[in-house]
Amino acid sequence: GKLLYAEQQCMGRCGAMATRALGHRAQGAAGVQHLDPHLRQTLLWIVNFASDRMPRLIKLRDERPPVLVFTDGACETGEDRITSCGGIIYEPGQQTETFGFRIPNDIADSWSSGSSKQVIGQAELYPVLVAKKCWAPRLAGRRVIFFIDNDSARFALIRMFSPVSASRDILWQVAHVDMLSRAASWYARVASASNPADGPNRLDFALVTQRWGAVRVYPELPDLSSSIRPE
């Protein structure tokens, strides 16, 4: 009951991390007494998140236009799998910036080490986290529209939940970054052919630098191993 109240009245979608895990447990096999790793991991996360959470600040009016962020990810399967991602930030009157890089093999391999071998969902989520961390000063307290061309990743960010543990590791860090920045994020769909982050995702920056005057930045990659895990 307290977790449900926290989700609906205080934490917003971030509280869904715990309530969905408890709901799944409540509908499971009768007579089960132990905490499975997923539920224990989620409860540890929500306790730490609630302890660190700052007071919520809601602005009733902001004359500034929303910041636009486009992200994209890709995974080319084959003998030598290449996983990459890219992003662009656009704000009227401010410098447009972009990033794009090949995701290190150790990170991509960790995504496929579980039951699911598909990593495209994580490849689409990861640049959103990178963008939020890289451009945190510009996003602080702002309304931000994230344009994503993958519905699986977009729905995971809207619900702030995923049944895939690798995706949850990313979402938990997204929740912490949002807590610190106090940004109001909206996740919208963009068709792949209309996504300007497609070029940087393929390490092709010609179009965004020529048309938008974008400057390439080199963000520090988030450490996904810092997510809370069961002992």
PDB file of all heavy atoms in Angstrom, residues 206-230:
ATOM      1  N   ALA A 206      28.253  14.166 -41.051  1.00  0.00           N
ATOM      2  CA  ALA A 206      28.280  15.182 -42.109  1.00  0.00           C
ATOM      3  C   ALA A 206      26.989  15.993 -42.158  1.00  0.00           C
ATOM      4  O   ALA A 206      27.018  17.232 -42.199  1.00  0.00           O
ATOM      5  CB  ALA A 206      28.545  14.517 -43.457  1.00  0.00           C
ATOM      6  N   LEU A 207      25.840  15.324 -42.168  1.00  0.00           N
ATOM      7  CA  LEU A 207      24.566  16.027 -42.325  1.00  0.00           C
ATOM      8  C   LEU A 207      24.282  16.944 -41.138  1.00  0.00           C
ATOM      9  O   LEU A 207      23.908  18.104 -41.316  1.00  0.00           O
ATOM     10  CB  LEU A 207      23.428  15.020 -42.498  1.00  0.00           C
ATOM     11  CG  LEU A 207      22.025  15.630 -42.669  1.00  0.00           C
ATOM     12  CD1 LEU A 207      21.980  16.474 -43.932  1.00  0.00           C
ATOM     13  CD2 LEU A 207      20.969  14.536 -42.714  1.00  0.00           C
ATOM     14  N   VAL A 208      24.450  16.447 -39.904  1.00  0.00           N
ATOM     15  CA  VAL A 208      24.094  17.249 -38.724  1.00  0.00           C
ATOM     16  C   VAL A 208      25.061  18.412 -38.530  1.00  0.00           C
ATOM     17  O   VAL A 208      24.677  19.456 -37.989  1.00  0.00           O
ATOM     18  CB  VAL A 208      24.038  16.375 -37.449  1.00  0.00           C
ATOM     19  CG1 VAL A 208      22.932  15.349 -37.563  1.00  0.00           C
ATOM     20  CG2 VAL A 208      25.376  15.696 -37.189  1.00  0.00           C
ATOM     21  N   THR A 209      26.294  18.264 -38.959  1.00  0.00           N
ATOM     22  CA  THR A 209      27.230  19.380 -38.822  1.00  0.00           C
ATOM     23  C   THR A 209      27.013  20.429 -39.907  1.00  0.00           C
ATOM     24  O   THR A 209      27.141  21.628 -39.643  1.00  0.00           O
ATOM     25  CB  THR A 209      28.688  18.864 -38.879  1.00  0.00           C
ATOM     26  OG1 THR A 209      28.879  18.112 -40.092  1.00  0.00           O
ATOM     27  CG2 THR A 209      28.991  17.990 -37.689  1.00  0.00           C
ATOM     28  N   GLN A 210      26.663  19.999 -41.102  1.00  0.00           N
ATOM     29  CA  GLN A 210      26.461  20.939 -42.204  1.00  0.00           C
ATOM     30  C   GLN A 210      25.110  21.638 -42.119  1.00  0.00           C
ATOM     31  O   GLN A 210      25.008  22.841 -42.323  1.00  0.00           O
ATOM     32  CB  GLN A 210      26.592  20.205 -43.540  1.00  0.00           C
ATOM     33  CG  GLN A 210      27.987  19.672 -43.814  1.00  0.00           C
ATOM     34  CD  GLN A 210      28.058  18.792 -45.051  1.00  0.00           C
ATOM     35  OE1 GLN A 210      27.091  18.684 -45.798  1.00  0.00           O
ATOM     36  NE2 GLN A 210      29.195  18.143 -45.258  1.00  0.00           N
ATOM     37  N   ARG A 211      24.044  20.873 -41.823  1.00  0.00           N
ATOM     38  CA  ARG A 211      22.702  21.458 -41.825  1.00  0.00           C
ATOM     39  C   ARG A 211      22.383  22.150 -40.515  1.00  0.00           C
ATOM     40  O   ARG A 211      21.735  23.202 -40.509  1.00  0.00           O
ATOM     41  CB  ARG A 211      21.661  20.376 -42.111  1.00  0.00           C
ATOM     42  CG  ARG A 211      20.219  20.870 -42.086  1.00  0.00           C
ATOM     43  CD  ARG A 211      19.242  19.817 -42.532  1.00  0.00           C
ATOM     44  NE  ARG A 211      19.442  19.455 -43.945  1.00  0.00           N
ATOM     45  CZ  ARG A 211      18.689  18.561 -44.574  1.00  0.00           C
ATOM     46  NH1 ARG A 211      17.711  17.938 -43.931  1.00  0.00           N
ATOM     47  NH2 ARG A 211      18.928  18.282 -45.831  1.00  0.00           N
ATOM     48  N   TRP A 212      22.789  21.566 -39.409  1.00  0.00           N
ATOM     49  CA  TRP A 212      22.440  22.126 -38.106  1.00  0.00           C
ATOM     50  C   TRP A 212      23.602  22.824 -37.416  1.00  0.00           C
ATOM     51  O   TRP A 212      23.427  23.424 -36.361  1.00  0.00           O
ATOM     52  CB  TRP A 212      21.905  21.021 -37.183  1.00  0.00           C
ATOM     53  CG  TRP A 212      20.555  20.521 -37.553  1.00  0.00           C
ATOM     54  CD1 TRP A 212      19.846  20.810 -38.684  1.00  0.00           C
ATOM     55  CD2 TRP A 212      19.727  19.634 -36.799  1.00  0.00           C
ATOM     56  NE1 TRP A 212      18.635  20.162 -38.680  1.00  0.00           N
ATOM     57  CE2 TRP A 212      18.534  19.425 -37.530  1.00  0.00           C
ATOM     58  CE3 TRP A 212      19.866  18.986 -35.581  1.00  0.00           C
ATOM     59  CZ2 TRP A 212      17.507  18.618 -37.084  1.00  0.00           C
ATOM     60  CZ3 TRP A 212      18.840  18.170 -35.126  1.00  0.00           C
ATOM     61  CH2 TRP A 212      17.670  17.995 -35.873  1.00  0.00           C
ATOM     62  N   GLY A 213      24.782  22.729 -37.980  1.00  0.00           N
ATOM     63  CA  GLY A 213      25.944  23.320 -37.329  1.00  0.00           C
ATOM     64  C   GLY A 213      26.283  22.651 -36.023  1.00  0.00           C
ATOM     65  O   GLY A 213      26.819  23.288 -35.095  1.00  0.00           O
ATOM     66  N   ALA A 214      25.989  21.350 -35.914  1.00  0.00           N
ATOM     67  CA  ALA A 214      26.204  20.622 -34.665  1.00  0.00           C
ATOM     68  C   ALA A 214      27.695  20.424 -34.387  1.00  0.00           C
ATOM     69  O   ALA A 214      28.499  20.232 -35.303  1.00  0.00           O
ATOM     70  CB  ALA A 214      25.506  19.263 -34.717  1.00  0.00           C
ATOM     71  N   VAL A 215      28.036  20.470 -33.134  1.00  0.00           N
ATOM     72  CA  VAL A 215      29.398  20.220 -32.669  1.00  0.00           C
ATOM     73  C   VAL A 215      29.427  18.841 -32.006  1.00  0.00           C
ATOM     74  O   VAL A 215      28.577  18.525 -31.176  1.00  0.00           O
ATOM     75  CB  VAL A 215      29.853  21.297 -31.662  1.00  0.00           C
ATOM     76  CG1 VAL A 215      31.202  20.925 -31.056  1.00  0.00           C
ATOM     77  CG2 VAL A 215      29.919  22.653 -32.339  1.00  0.00           C
ATOM     78  N   ARG A 216      30.398  18.043 -32.381  1.00  0.00           N
ATOM     79  CA  ARG A 216      30.485  16.695 -31.808  1.00  0.00           C
ATOM     80  C   ARG A 216      31.077  16.754 -30.407  1.00  0.00           C
ATOM     81  O   ARG A 216      32.060  17.466 -30.155  1.00  0.00           O
ATOM     82  CB  ARG A 216      31.339  15.790 -32.696  1.00  0.00           C
ATOM     83  CG  ARG A 216      31.361  14.335 -32.220  1.00  0.00           C
ATOM     84  CD  ARG A 216      32.182  13.456 -33.150  1.00  0.00           C
ATOM     85  NE  ARG A 216      32.198  12.081 -32.683  1.00  0.00           N
ATOM     86  CZ  ARG A 216      32.879  11.089 -33.272  1.00  0.00           C
ATOM     87  NH1 ARG A 216      33.590  11.347 -34.359  1.00  0.00           N
ATOM     88  NH2 ARG A 216      32.847   9.866 -32.770  1.00  0.00           N
ATOM     89  N   VAL A 217      30.461  16.016 -29.488  1.00  0.00           N
ATOM     90  CA  VAL A 217      30.962  15.900 -28.120  1.00  0.00           C
ATOM     91  C   VAL A 217      31.258  14.431 -27.842  1.00  0.00           C
ATOM     92  O   VAL A 217      30.760  13.534 -28.534  1.00  0.00           O
ATOM     93  CB  VAL A 217      29.948  16.459 -27.095  1.00  0.00           C
ATOM     94  CG1 VAL A 217      29.749  17.945 -27.292  1.00  0.00           C
ATOM     95  CG2 VAL A 217      28.615  15.719 -27.184  1.00  0.00           C
ATOM     96  N   TYR A 218      32.053  14.196 -26.815  1.00  0.00           N
ATOM     97  CA  TYR A 218      32.491  12.841 -26.487  1.00  0.00           C
ATOM     98  C   TYR A 218      32.113  12.545 -25.038  1.00  0.00           C
ATOM     99  O   TYR A 218      32.900  12.795 -24.117  1.00  0.00           O
ATOM    100  CB  TYR A 218      33.995  12.697 -26.703  1.00  0.00           C
ATOM    101  CG  TYR A 218      34.397  12.989 -28.144  1.00  0.00           C
ATOM    102  CD1 TYR A 218      34.635  14.306 -28.567  1.00  0.00           C
ATOM    103  CD2 TYR A 218      34.525  11.974 -29.069  1.00  0.00           C
ATOM    104  CE1 TYR A 218      34.991  14.587 -29.880  1.00  0.00           C
ATOM    105  CE2 TYR A 218      34.883  12.232 -30.390  1.00  0.00           C
ATOM    106  CZ  TYR A 218      35.110  13.544 -30.782  1.00  0.00           C
ATOM    107  OH  TYR A 218      35.454  13.809 -32.090  1.00  0.00           O
ATOM    108  N   PRO A 219      30.901  12.045 -24.806  1.00  0.00           N
ATOM    109  CA  PRO A 219      30.413  11.858 -23.434  1.00  0.00           C
ATOM    110  C   PRO A 219      31.112  10.726 -22.710  1.00  0.00           C
ATOM    111  O   PRO A 219      31.601   9.759 -23.332  1.00  0.00           O
ATOM    112  CB  PRO A 219      28.931  11.533 -23.650  1.00  0.00           C
ATOM    113  CG  PRO A 219      28.886  10.900 -25.001  1.00  0.00           C
ATOM    114  CD  PRO A 219      29.926  11.607 -25.817  1.00  0.00           C
ATOM    115  N   GLU A 220      31.164  10.850 -21.410  1.00  0.00           N
ATOM    116  CA  GLU A 220      31.659   9.765 -20.568  1.00  0.00           C
ATOM    117  C   GLU A 220      30.567   8.703 -20.486  1.00  0.00           C
ATOM    118  O   GLU A 220      29.408   9.007 -20.223  1.00  0.00           O
ATOM    119  CB  GLU A 220      31.990  10.286 -19.170  1.00  0.00           C
ATOM    120  CG  GLU A 220      32.523   9.225 -18.233  1.00  0.00           C
ATOM    121  CD  GLU A 220      32.866   9.785 -16.865  1.00  0.00           C
ATOM    122  OE1 GLU A 220      32.846  11.025 -16.708  1.00  0.00           O
ATOM    123  OE2 GLU A 220      33.142   8.996 -15.953  1.00  0.00           O
ATOM    124  N   LEU A 221      30.929   7.451 -20.696  1.00  0.00           N
ATOM    125  CA  LEU A 221      29.939   6.389 -20.747  1.00  0.00           C
ATOM    126  C   LEU A 221      29.492   6.006 -19.339  1.00  0.00           C
ATOM    127  O   LEU A 221      30.327   5.832 -18.436  1.00  0.00           O
ATOM    128  CB  LEU A 221      30.506   5.162 -21.467  1.00  0.00           C
ATOM    129  CG  LEU A 221      30.981   5.395 -22.904  1.00  0.00           C
ATOM    130  CD1 LEU A 221      31.306   4.060 -23.575  1.00  0.00           C
ATOM    131  CD2 LEU A 221      29.948   6.162 -23.706  1.00  0.00           C
ATOM    132  N   PRO A 222      28.192   5.859 -19.113  1.00  0.00           N
ATOM    133  CA  PRO A 222      27.684   5.463 -17.797  1.00  0.00           C
ATOM    134  C   PRO A 222      28.175   4.074 -17.414  1.00  0.00           C
ATOM    135  O   PRO A 222      28.286   3.176 -18.262  1.00  0.00           O
ATOM    136  CB  PRO A 222      26.160   5.475 -17.974  1.00  0.00           C
ATOM    137  CG  PRO A 222      25.918   6.324 -19.179  1.00  0.00           C
ATOM    138  CD  PRO A 222      27.113   6.133 -20.071  1.00  0.00           C
ATOM    139  N   ASP A 223      28.465   3.896 -16.139  1.00  0.00           N
ATOM    140  CA  ASP A 223      28.882   2.593 -15.602  1.00  0.00           C
ATOM    141  C   ASP A 223      27.644   1.823 -15.176  1.00  0.00           C
ATOM    142  O   ASP A 223      27.080   2.071 -14.120  1.00  0.00           O
ATOM    143  CB  ASP A 223      29.829   2.793 -14.423  1.00  0.00           C
ATOM    144  CG  ASP A 223      30.300   1.473 -13.824  1.00  0.00           C
ATOM    145  OD1 ASP A 223      30.073   0.419 -14.461  1.00  0.00           O
ATOM    146  OD2 ASP A 223      30.885   1.499 -12.724  1.00  0.00           O
ATOM    147  N   LEU A 224      27.218   0.876 -15.986  1.00  0.00           N
ATOM    148  CA  LEU A 224      25.999   0.120 -15.681  1.00  0.00           C
ATOM    149  C   LEU A 224      26.200  -0.865 -14.547  1.00  0.00           C
ATOM    150  O   LEU A 224      25.238  -1.346 -13.961  1.00  0.00           O
ATOM    151  CB  LEU A 224      25.521  -0.625 -16.932  1.00  0.00           C
ATOM    152  CG  LEU A 224      25.133   0.261 -18.115  1.00  0.00           C
ATOM    153  CD1 LEU A 224      24.702  -0.599 -19.295  1.00  0.00           C
ATOM    154  CD2 LEU A 224      24.024   1.226 -17.738  1.00  0.00           C
ATOM    155  N   SER A 225      27.442  -1.151 -14.207  1.00  0.00           N
ATOM    156  CA  SER A 225      27.704  -2.090 -13.114  1.00  0.00           C
ATOM    157  C   SER A 225      27.379  -1.489 -11.761  1.00  0.00           C
ATOM    158  O   SER A 225      27.361  -2.195 -10.745  1.00  0.00           O
ATOM    159  CB  SER A 225      29.171  -2.541 -13.117  1.00  0.00           C
ATOM    160  OG  SER A 225      30.043  -1.442 -12.877  1.00  0.00           O
ATOM    161  N   SER A 226      27.101  -0.167 -11.724  1.00  0.00           N
ATOM    162  CA  SER A 226      26.800   0.480 -10.438  1.00  0.00           C
ATOM    163  C   SER A 226      25.362   0.278  -9.997  1.00  0.00           C
ATOM    164  O   SER A 226      24.990   0.670  -8.899  1.00  0.00           O
ATOM    165  CB  SER A 226      27.079   1.992 -10.542  1.00  0.00           C
ATOM    166  OG  SER A 226      26.232   2.592 -11.509  1.00  0.00           O
ATOM    167  N   SER A 227      24.537  -0.352 -10.843  1.00  0.00           N
ATOM    168  CA  SER A 227      23.155  -0.606 -10.468  1.00  0.00           C
ATOM    169  C   SER A 227      23.105  -1.568  -9.291  1.00  0.00           C
ATOM    170  O   SER A 227      23.956  -2.433  -9.140  1.00  0.00           O
ATOM    171  CB  SER A 227      22.379  -1.205 -11.650  1.00  0.00           C
ATOM    172  OG  SER A 227      22.332  -0.289 -12.730  1.00  0.00           O
ATOM    173  N   ILE A 228      22.101  -1.426  -8.445  1.00  0.00           N
ATOM    174  CA  ILE A 228      21.966  -2.263  -7.264  1.00  0.00           C
ATOM    175  C   ILE A 228      21.591  -3.677  -7.666  1.00  0.00           C
ATOM    176  O   ILE A 228      20.667  -3.899  -8.435  1.00  0.00           O
ATOM    177  CB  ILE A 228      20.908  -1.696  -6.300  1.00  0.00           C
ATOM    178  CG1 ILE A 228      21.363  -0.320  -5.814  1.00  0.00           C
ATOM    179  CG2 ILE A 228      20.653  -2.621  -5.137  1.00  0.00           C
ATOM    180  CD1 ILE A 228      20.320   0.397  -5.011  1.00  0.00           C
ATOM    181  N   ARG A 229      22.334  -4.635  -7.147  1.00  0.00           N
ATOM    182  CA  ARG A 229      22.059  -6.038  -7.447  1.00  0.00           C
ATOM    183  C   ARG A 229      21.948  -6.815  -6.122  1.00  0.00           C
ATOM    184  O   ARG A 229      22.502  -6.409  -5.114  1.00  0.00           O
ATOM    185  CB  ARG A 229      23.165  -6.642  -8.312  1.00  0.00           C
ATOM    186  CG  ARG A 229      23.284  -5.942  -9.666  1.00  0.00           C
ATOM    187  CD  ARG A 229      24.339  -6.613 -10.515  1.00  0.00           C
ATOM    188  NE  ARG A 229      24.414  -5.963 -11.821  1.00  0.00           N
ATOM    189  CZ  ARG A 229      23.646  -6.260 -12.842  1.00  0.00           C
ATOM    190  NH1 ARG A 229      22.725  -7.204 -12.701  1.00  0.00           N
ATOM    191  NH2 ARG A 229      23.780  -5.633 -13.982  1.00  0.00           N
ATOM    192  N   PRO A 230      21.278  -7.954  -6.128  1.00  0.00           N
ATOM    193  CA  PRO A 230      21.152  -8.736  -4.912  1.00  0.00           C
ATOM    194  C   PRO A 230      22.478  -9.309  -4.479  1.00  0.00           C
ATOM    195  O   PRO A 230      23.334  -9.639  -5.305  1.00  0.00           O
ATOM    196  CB  PRO A 230      20.170  -9.838  -5.312  1.00  0.00           C
ATOM    197  CG  PRO A 230      20.307  -9.947  -6.784  1.00  0.00           C
ATOM    198  CD  PRO A 230      20.573  -8.569  -7.258  1.00  0.00           C
TER     199      PRO A 230
END
